[in-house]
Amino acid sequence: MNTTELYLVAMAIVFTVPYLIWRLGRTDYWAPLVVVQIVTGVLLGPGALGKAFPEYYQSIFTPAVIGALNGVAWWAVSLFVFIAGLELDLKKAIRYRGESAVTAGLALCTPLLFGCAAALVLVAVGPGWEGAKAQHWQFVLGVGMACAVTALPILILLMEKMGILRSALGQRILRYASLDDIAIWGVLALILLDWQRVGKQAIFLLMFAAATWGIRWLMRKLPERDRWYVALIWLIVVALGADWCGLHYMVGAFLAGAVLDADWFDQTQMDQLRHHVLLVLMPVFFLSTGLRTNWELGGVAVFGVAALLLLASVSGKLIGVHLAGRVLNWAPGEAFIVGWLLQTKALIEIIFANILLDKGVISSGTFTALLLMAVASTMLTTPVVSPKLAKQRELLAKSG
């Protein structure tokens, strides 16, 4: 087969296998399609399919095919992260800044500390977990922040399924997640700060600040039909600038979306765009992510580290939110629901881990462990939260 035919075979596998698992296995309650796609990407990678059928794997996933898939994946994740930045609702977060700051702060800092402690354990255990270009503080802070991540786009999807997205509780959770997202990307920029390129990064940030003023002025003047097209050009330019200065194109994509107002775009169109990016493009990103998994340090060791990181992530998030609930006098059971929803990792954590791997902060073994942790945390959310929500609704109905 030529490269085009092999590419189409790979694409057929990418879209067919996870869909069949999701539909025939009826996994939607505990594993939405997006989670099945992530897991399938891992199974199609060198650690599973590549080891079981090396000749078959190498005959399809040739360097040319992987390069073509990576090109689609880069654009897919740029769009996805850009939309995540657009969906930040900073106006409401500022309006309710006291309550939002307390909850978001504790929901971020507690799992961050737990994750940093887990990273220190990995440093003490021995080599193989840190990336080749990492300093100790970068590795510890990077893994800690990966444990603190909340996946805002997946959180929106899960709350929509549970019927609480537009409720007061759902909007509060989005505020907390929005503030945490800003902090997460800010810390990532700090981790990626390259003292050899600090001049370039300073130039980029100054130019970005000036360009932000210009794009906001322009967006207000443009008719709505032109805004999406201009926004895509803006996304490409900022992502290019961020990658040029050494920050990473995904950091640029997030910043490009975060400085724009969601009010300038039709909410229905934004929801449809997110849905279509997840449907049409992101499965290719999941496969390209799966192709980067590595089990060289041993399957048992990787699973053990994934379990340690999952414990640090989930327990840290729940403890932090329960502390916020006590400070703010929340109703009984509310902190449990908020904490479990905010610990959802999925895509943003995987994107975060991809950047750390690209920059040599973590090893491929740590990347695989973080990937497993993200999948497990997301799969736990719906089965844990749904019964609690149903019980609360039942009590409210009886008292009403």
Side-chain angles (χ1 to χ4, degrees), residues 59-92:
S59 66
I60 293 179
F61 296 106
T62 63
V65 170
I66 291 174
L69 290 171
N70 283 341
V72 178
W74 294 335
W75 180 237
V77 76
S78 296
L79 282 171
F80 190 82
V81 173
F82 173 73
I83 297 166
L86 262 180
E87 287 174 331
L88 293 178
D89 194 347
L90 298 181
K91 291 179 181 176
K92 284 188 177 178

Side-chain angles (χ1 to χ4, degrees), residues 273-295:
L273 178 59
R274 176 173 20 86
H275 169 75
H276 290 137
V277 169
L278 275 169
L279 175 69
V280 176
L281 294 174
M282 285 303 284
V284 183
F285 171 73
F286 301 143
L287 175 65
S288 70
T289 297
L291 295 177
R292 309 177 78 177
T293 54
N294 194 310
W295 309 89

